[in-house]
mmCIF file with all atom_site columns, all heavy atoms in Angstrom:
data_model
loop_
_atom_site.group_PDB
_atom_site.id
_atom_site.type_symbol
_atom_site.label_atom_id
_atom_site.label_alt_id
_atom_site.label_comp_id
_atom_site.label_asym_id
_atom_site.label_entity_id
_atom_site.label_seq_id
_atom_site.pdbx_PDB_ins_code
_atom_site.Cartn_x
_atom_site.Cartn_y
_atom_site.Cartn_z
_atom_site.occupancy
_atom_site.B_iso_or_equiv
_atom_site.pdbx_formal_charge
_atom_site.auth_seq_id
_atom_site.auth_comp_id
_atom_site.auth_asym_id
_atom_site.auth_atom_id
_atom_site.pdbx_PDB_model_num
ATOM   1   N N   . LYS A 1 70  ? -57.313 80.001 18.095 1.00 0.00 ? 92  LYS A N   1
ATOM   2   C CA  . LYS A 1 70  ? -56.126 80.182 18.931 1.00 0.00 ? 92  LYS A CA  1
ATOM   3   C C   . LYS A 1 70  ? -55.146 81.181 18.303 1.00 0.00 ? 92  LYS A C   1
ATOM   4   O O   . LYS A 1 70  ? -54.352 81.791 18.995 1.00 0.00 ? 92  LYS A O   1
ATOM   5   C CB  . LYS A 1 70  ? -55.429 78.851 19.214 1.00 0.00 ? 92  LYS A CB  1
ATOM   6   C CG  . LYS A 1 70  ? -55.013 78.089 17.981 1.00 0.00 ? 92  LYS A CG  1
ATOM   7   C CD  . LYS A 1 70  ? -54.288 76.786 18.322 1.00 0.00 ? 92  LYS A CD  1
ATOM   8   C CE  . LYS A 1 70  ? -55.220 75.651 18.666 1.00 0.00 ? 92  LYS A CE  1
ATOM   9   N NZ  . LYS A 1 70  ? -56.065 75.179 17.544 1.00 0.00 ? 92  LYS A NZ  1
ATOM   10  N N   . SER A 1 211 ? -47.785 73.169 12.328 1.00 0.00 ? 233 SER A N   1
ATOM   11  C CA  . SER A 1 211 ? -48.036 74.581 12.067 1.00 0.00 ? 233 SER A CA  1
ATOM   12  C C   . SER A 1 211 ? -46.827 75.257 11.448 1.00 0.00 ? 233 SER A C   1
ATOM   13  O O   . SER A 1 211 ? -45.686 74.958 11.822 1.00 0.00 ? 233 SER A O   1
ATOM   14  C CB  . SER A 1 211 ? -48.317 75.246 13.407 1.00 0.00 ? 233 SER A CB  1
ATOM   15  O OG  . SER A 1 211 ? -49.492 75.964 13.343 1.00 0.00 ? 233 SER A OG  1
ATOM   16  N N   . GLY A 1 249 ? -52.197 74.605 9.435  1.00 0.00 ? 271 GLY A N   1
ATOM   17  C CA  . GLY A 1 249 ? -50.761 74.454 9.240  1.00 0.00 ? 271 GLY A CA  1
ATOM   18  C C   . GLY A 1 249 ? -50.181 75.284 8.113  1.00 0.00 ? 271 GLY A C   1
ATOM   19  O O   . GLY A 1 249 ? -48.960 75.417 7.999  1.00 0.00 ? 271 GLY A O   1
ATOM   20  N N   . GLU A 1 291 ? -58.520 74.043 8.593  1.00 0.00 ? 313 GLU A N   1
ATOM   21  C CA  . GLU A 1 291 ? -58.545 74.893 9.788  1.00 0.00 ? 313 GLU A CA  1
ATOM   22  C C   . GLU A 1 291 ? -57.344 75.827 9.856  1.00 0.00 ? 313 GLU A C   1
ATOM   23  O O   . GLU A 1 291 ? -56.537 75.751 10.787 1.00 0.00 ? 313 GLU A O   1
ATOM   24  C CB  . GLU A 1 291 ? -58.500 74.014 11.043 1.00 0.00 ? 313 GLU A CB  1
ATOM   25  C CG  . GLU A 1 291 ? -59.618 73.042 11.162 1.00 0.00 ? 313 GLU A CG  1
ATOM   26  C CD  . GLU A 1 291 ? -59.382 72.036 12.276 1.00 0.00 ? 313 GLU A CD  1
ATOM   27  O OE1 . GLU A 1 291 ? -58.268 71.982 12.821 1.00 0.00 ? 313 GLU A OE1 1
ATOM   28  O OE2 . GLU A 1 291 ? -60.329 71.299 12.585 1.00 0.00 ? 313 GLU A OE2 1
ATOM   29  N N   . GLY A 1 293 ? -55.117 78.903 10.723 1.00 0.00 ? 315 GLY A N   1
ATOM   30  C CA  . GLY A 1 293 ? -55.091 80.038 11.647 1.00 0.00 ? 315 GLY A CA  1
ATOM   31  C C   . GLY A 1 293 ? -54.197 81.113 11.054 1.00 0.00 ? 315 GLY A C   1
ATOM   32  O O   . GLY A 1 293 ? -54.623 82.174 10.618 1.00 0.00 ? 315 GLY A O   1
ATOM   33  N N   . ARG A 1 294 ? -52.908 80.766 10.985 1.00 0.00 ? 316 ARG A N   1
ATOM   34  C CA  . ARG A 1 294 ? -51.886 81.713 10.527 1.00 0.00 ? 316 ARG A CA  1
ATOM   35  C C   . ARG A 1 294 ? -52.162 82.276 9.129  1.00 0.00 ? 316 ARG A C   1
ATOM   36  O O   . ARG A 1 294 ? -52.025 83.462 8.885  1.00 0.00 ? 316 ARG A O   1
ATOM   37  C CB  . ARG A 1 294 ? -50.539 80.976 10.512 1.00 0.00 ? 316 ARG A CB  1
ATOM   38  C CG  . ARG A 1 294 ? -49.343 81.836 10.227 1.00 0.00 ? 316 ARG A CG  1
ATOM   39  C CD  . ARG A 1 294 ? -48.080 80.970 10.153 1.00 0.00 ? 316 ARG A CD  1
ATOM   40  N NE  . ARG A 1 294 ? -48.120 79.848 11.065 1.00 0.00 ? 316 ARG A NE  1
ATOM   41  C CZ  . ARG A 1 294 ? -47.632 79.867 12.300 1.00 0.00 ? 316 ARG A CZ  1
ATOM   42  N NH1 . ARG A 1 294 ? -47.048 80.935 12.761 1.00 0.00 ? 316 ARG A NH1 1
ATOM   43  N NH2 . ARG A 1 294 ? -47.710 78.795 13.068 1.00 0.00 ? 316 ARG A NH2 1
ATOM   44  N N   . ARG A 1 330 ? -43.337 84.668 20.044 1.00 0.00 ? 352 ARG A N   1
ATOM   45  C CA  . ARG A 1 330 ? -42.870 83.705 19.039 1.00 0.00 ? 352 ARG A CA  1
ATOM   46  C C   . ARG A 1 330 ? -41.348 83.685 18.836 1.00 0.00 ? 352 ARG A C   1
ATOM   47  O O   . ARG A 1 330 ? -40.757 82.615 18.727 1.00 0.00 ? 352 ARG A O   1
ATOM   48  C CB  . ARG A 1 330 ? -43.576 83.930 17.694 1.00 0.00 ? 352 ARG A CB  1
ATOM   49  C CG  . ARG A 1 330 ? -45.106 83.861 17.789 1.00 0.00 ? 352 ARG A CG  1
ATOM   50  C CD  . ARG A 1 330 ? -45.797 83.811 16.447 1.00 0.00 ? 352 ARG A CD  1
ATOM   51  N NE  . ARG A 1 330 ? -45.559 82.551 15.788 1.00 0.00 ? 352 ARG A NE  1
ATOM   52  C CZ  . ARG A 1 330 ? -44.701 82.363 14.818 1.00 0.00 ? 352 ARG A CZ  1
ATOM   53  N NH1 . ARG A 1 330 ? -44.005 83.371 14.345 1.00 0.00 ? 352 ARG A NH1 1
ATOM   54  N NH2 . ARG A 1 330 ? -44.514 81.181 14.302 1.00 0.00 ? 352 ARG A NH2 1
ATOM   55  N N   . TYR A 1 334 ? -40.037 79.975 19.608 1.00 0.00 ? 356 TYR A N   1
ATOM   56  C CA  . TYR A 1 334 ? -39.788 79.093 18.453 1.00 0.00 ? 356 TYR A CA  1
ATOM   57  C C   . TYR A 1 334 ? -38.615 79.565 17.606 1.00 0.00 ? 356 TYR A C   1
ATOM   58  O O   . TYR A 1 334 ? -38.431 79.063 16.495 1.00 0.00 ? 356 TYR A O   1
ATOM   59  C CB  . TYR A 1 334 ? -41.017 79.068 17.532 1.00 0.00 ? 356 TYR A CB  1
ATOM   60  C CG  . TYR A 1 334 ? -42.332 78.803 18.201 1.00 0.00 ? 356 TYR A CG  1
ATOM   61  C CD1 . TYR A 1 334 ? -43.370 79.740 18.151 1.00 0.00 ? 356 TYR A CD1 1
ATOM   62  C CD2 . TYR A 1 334 ? -42.568 77.611 18.879 1.00 0.00 ? 356 TYR A CD2 1
ATOM   63  C CE1 . TYR A 1 334 ? -44.589 79.497 18.743 1.00 0.00 ? 356 TYR A CE1 1
ATOM   64  C CE2 . TYR A 1 334 ? -43.787 77.362 19.475 1.00 0.00 ? 356 TYR A CE2 1
ATOM   65  C CZ  . TYR A 1 334 ? -44.796 78.309 19.402 1.00 0.00 ? 356 TYR A CZ  1
ATOM   66  O OH  . TYR A 1 334 ? -46.002 78.068 19.986 1.00 0.00 ? 356 TYR A OH  1
ATOM   67  N N   . TYR A 1 390 ? -51.031 84.231 16.533 1.00 0.00 ? 412 TYR A N   1
ATOM   68  C CA  . TYR A 1 390 ? -50.298 83.846 17.742 1.00 0.00 ? 412 TYR A CA  1
ATOM   69  C C   . TYR A 1 390 ? -49.468 85.016 18.278 1.00 0.00 ? 412 TYR A C   1
ATOM   70  O O   . TYR A 1 390 ? -48.386 84.827 18.816 1.00 0.00 ? 412 TYR A O   1
ATOM   71  C CB  . TYR A 1 390 ? -49.407 82.619 17.476 1.00 0.00 ? 412 TYR A CB  1
ATOM   72  C CG  . TYR A 1 390 ? -50.177 81.493 16.822 1.00 0.00 ? 412 TYR A CG  1
ATOM   73  C CD1 . TYR A 1 390 ? -50.072 81.238 15.450 1.00 0.00 ? 412 TYR A CD1 1
ATOM   74  C CD2 . TYR A 1 390 ? -51.059 80.714 17.562 1.00 0.00 ? 412 TYR A CD2 1
ATOM   75  C CE1 . TYR A 1 390 ? -50.806 80.236 14.841 1.00 0.00 ? 412 TYR A CE1 1
ATOM   76  C CE2 . TYR A 1 390 ? -51.803 79.708 16.959 1.00 0.00 ? 412 TYR A CE2 1
ATOM   77  C CZ  . TYR A 1 390 ? -51.670 79.475 15.598 1.00 0.00 ? 412 TYR A CZ  1
ATOM   78  O OH  . TYR A 1 390 ? -52.407 78.495 15.006 1.00 0.00 ? 412 TYR A OH  1
HETATM 79  N N1  . LLP B 2 .   ? -56.203 73.050 13.921 1.00 0.00 ? 520 LLP B N1  1
HETATM 80  C C1  . LLP B 2 .   ? -55.686 72.533 15.033 1.00 0.00 ? 520 LLP B C1  1
HETATM 81  C C2  . LLP B 2 .   ? -56.294 71.336 15.616 1.00 0.00 ? 520 LLP B C2  1
HETATM 82  C C3  . LLP B 2 .   ? -54.566 73.109 15.623 1.00 0.00 ? 520 LLP B C3  1
HETATM 83  O O1  . LLP B 2 .   ? -54.044 72.572 16.713 1.00 0.00 ? 520 LLP B O1  1
HETATM 84  C C4  . LLP B 2 .   ? -53.992 74.271 15.053 1.00 0.00 ? 520 LLP B C4  1
HETATM 85  C C5  . LLP B 2 .   ? -52.819 74.913 15.647 1.00 0.00 ? 520 LLP B C5  1
HETATM 86  C C6  . LLP B 2 .   ? -54.583 74.812 13.898 1.00 0.00 ? 520 LLP B C6  1
HETATM 87  C C7  . LLP B 2 .   ? -55.693 74.161 13.354 1.00 0.00 ? 520 LLP B C7  1
HETATM 88  C C8  . LLP B 2 .   ? -54.088 76.051 13.200 1.00 0.00 ? 520 LLP B C8  1
HETATM 89  O O2  . LLP B 2 .   ? -52.780 75.958 12.777 1.00 0.00 ? 520 LLP B O2  1
HETATM 90  P P1  . LLP B 2 .   ? -52.188 77.073 11.769 1.00 0.00 ? 520 LLP B P1  1
HETATM 91  O O3  . LLP B 2 .   ? -52.980 77.008 10.506 1.00 0.00 ? 520 LLP B O3  1
HETATM 92  O O4  . LLP B 2 .   ? -52.313 78.391 12.431 1.00 0.00 ? 520 LLP B O4  1
HETATM 93  O O5  . LLP B 2 .   ? -50.774 76.684 11.584 1.00 0.00 ? 520 LLP B O5  1
HETATM 94  N N2  . LLP B 2 .   ? -48.188 79.025 18.576 1.00 0.00 ? 520 LLP B N2  1
HETATM 95  C C9  . LLP B 2 .   ? -47.606 78.464 17.385 1.00 0.00 ? 520 LLP B C9  1
HETATM 96  C C10 . LLP B 2 .   ? -48.579 77.656 16.576 1.00 0.00 ? 520 LLP B C10 1
HETATM 97  C C11 . LLP B 2 .   ? -49.208 76.526 17.339 1.00 0.00 ? 520 LLP B C11 1
HETATM 98  C C12 . LLP B 2 .   ? -50.445 76.069 16.683 1.00 0.00 ? 520 LLP B C12 1
HETATM 99  C C13 . LLP B 2 .   ? -51.131 74.988 17.416 1.00 0.00 ? 520 LLP B C13 1
HETATM 100 N N3  . LLP B 2 .   ? -52.238 74.458 16.704 1.00 0.00 ? 520 LLP B N3  1
HETATM 101 C C14 . LLP B 2 .   ? -46.961 79.578 16.565 1.00 0.00 ? 520 LLP B C14 1
HETATM 102 O O6  . LLP B 2 .   ? -46.944 80.717 17.015 1.00 0.00 ? 520 LLP B O6  1
HETATM 103 O O7  . LLP B 2 .   ? -46.421 79.311 15.507 1.00 0.00 ? 520 LLP B O7  1
#
Side-chain angles (χ1 to χ4, degrees):
K92 57 178 81 66
S233 232
E313 301 169 350
R316 187 184 326 268
R352 303 191 70 258
Y356 310 119
Y412 309 102

